[in-house]
Amino acid sequence: MRAKLPTGVLLGAAVWLAVSSSGVPAEPITVVLGAQTREVAALREELRDRQDHKILGLPFWEGRLAGRRVVVAKMSAGKVNAAMIATLAIEHFRPAEVLVTGIAGGLHPDLAPGDLVIARQTVQHDMVRHSDSGVEYRGARHPVTGRRASAFLDMPTTLVAIAQQAAARVSFIPLVGDDRRTSPHLVRVITGIVATGDAFVESESKRRELREQLNADCVEMEGGAVAQVCYTLGVPCLVIRCMSDMADQTAMADLEAFADAAALNSARLVYAIVDLLHDGQLDALTLQQKKK
Ligand code: ADE
């Protein structure tokens, strides 16, 4: 029996297989988005044959990364910025997939600064209905159909599998050394739930709430917004995060100490994912799923 593919993958494949005006299938493009300069700088520096674009005055950098056509852009912090840049990038470049890279605050008890989360799902922790009986987390309505999406948006299993495969190849920078962190587990990579909201979390009670109510593994400020745009427009999306802090009272100080290296760890994983995408791994995995 054929395995059901996530809608995003099918629609994304349609974008991917788009035929250019010359009749030749268009070469797939990967869009890579980060919020801060430190989250995109290393990838931008690696772009070969770089072309700089401005769309409505906002910069997008196109070039080749590990041989694949890639567009890198900086979103700045927050969900509105993220949605704006993702929408412009999709409209202008018609990417085969969108990758979000950068730092986050860890919530899973096994995580420490330097560790990574490959999103299996994203959830917007501030898209809620507040009532006296509590908080109900809700997905957004589709602008045309009016259908409400699930609060938790799935990342395509194919992209998650590629990221897991890529992670095994990357040499990450270890940021903390403690008793649990003996080689080869200096840096942990888990697949889990990324919570997104327009809030920097540096609160023990808020981090506990996000963990208990949403089972979230980390918290950041853009991934879920990009995922919603991609879900609505039918483009596969994957969020990658490296922990800069633990979203607790020392979050800001930890972020200042660890963010540069954490951003680099996330960028290294993105590079390895792009490398596998260039090797045609998405084709292979999609086919394997179809055969099942
Ligand atoms: N990005 C990095 N750390 C964060 C935190 N603690 N809260 C929200 N976004 C973050």
Side-chain angles (χ1 to χ4, degrees):
M1 204 182 78
R2 271 182 140 201
K4 196 166 174 278
L5 283 172
T7 322
V9 171
L10 289 171
L11 291 167
V15 174
W16 180 3
L17 293 174
V19 173
S20 71
S21 51
S22 64
V24 177
E27 191 183 347
I29 298 187
T30 303
V31 161
V32 180
L33 304 177
Q36 304 178 343
T37 299
R38 66 176 137 222
E39 292 169 319
V40 295
L43 292 166
R44 186 182 53 197
E45 295 316 307
E46 285 297 321
L47 288 176
R48 299 285 165 264
D49 308 324
R50 197 175 104 187
Q51 271 181 276
D52 296 355
H53 303 264
K54 283 250 164 96
I55 306 173
L56 303 180
L58 300 162
F60 292 78
W61 304 287
E62 182 183 0
R64 290 205 178 264
L65 196 68
R68 187 169 176 89
R69 274 184 81 198
V70 166
V71 172
V72 176
K74 181 183 133 172
M75 299 180 281
S76 285
K79 297 198 314 179
V80 173
N81 278 330
M84 173 177 65
I85 298 294
T87 306
L88 288 175
I90 291 168
E91 158 68 4
H92 197 84
F93 298 102
R94 306 282 156 160
E97 60 276 310
V98 175
L99 308 180
V100 177
T101 181
I103 60 174
L107 304 171
H108 188 293
D110 290 346
L111 291 176
D115 294 339
L116 292 99
V117 176
I118 297 166
R120 175 166 50 80
Q121 289 181 318
T122 59
V123 57
Q124 295 178 54
H125 66 78
D126 53 2
M127 187 170 277
V128 294
R129 184 169 176 180
H130 280 288
S131 71
D132 288 337
S133 49
V135 174
E136 188 194 337
Y137 296 91
R138 287 143 61 105
R141 284 196 189 278
H142 189 282
V144 177
T145 65
R147 210 173 316 132
R148 190 184 292 287
S150 158
F152 291 85
L153 293 181
D154 292 332
M155 309 275 101
T157 51
T158 45
L159 282 178
V160 172
I162 285 175
Q164 290 165 335
Q165 205 178 317
R169 300 179 171 193
V170 177
S171 164
F172 292 112
I173 309 159
L175 300 191
V176 291
D178 66 17
D179 295 345
R180 297 174 311 158
R181 301 302 165 114
T182 52
S183 181
H185 297 297
L186 286 171
V187 172
R188 290 200 172 107
V189 183
I190 67 167
T191 301
I193 298 174
V194 173
T196 302
D198 276 322
F200 184 81
V201 179
E202 44 183 342
S203 146
E204 201 58 59
S205 63
K206 188 68 185 178
R207 77 184 298 283
R208 200 176 319 117
E209 177 192 316
L210 295 173
R211 184 76 191 145
E212 285 170 5
Q213 302 300 316
L214 296 168
N215 200 25
D217 296 299
C218 69
V219 60
E220 41 83 296
M221 300 175 68
E222 299 83 21
V226 175
Q228 184 188 328
V229 168
C230 287
Y231 177 81
T232 303
L233 300 178
V235 179
C237 169
L238 184 67
V239 178
I240 300 296
R241 292 288 178 179
C242 181
M243 304 310 106
S244 56
D245 61 272
M246 296 309 291
D248 54 12
Q249 299 96 323
T250 62
M252 195 46 92
D254 290 342
L255 183 147
E256 275 160 23
F258 295 128
D260 286 348
L264 206 49
N265 271 350
S266 186
R268 284 184 185 184
L269 179 51
V270 164
Y271 188 97
I273 293 168
V274 169
D275 195 19
L276 285 180
L277 289 171
H278 186 59
D279 281 352
Q281 288 291 313
L282 188 57
D283 270 334
L285 280 162
T286 307
L287 284 173
Q288 273 172 25
Q289 285 209 335
K290 276 186 186 160
K291 268 195 266 167
K292 274 186 201 154

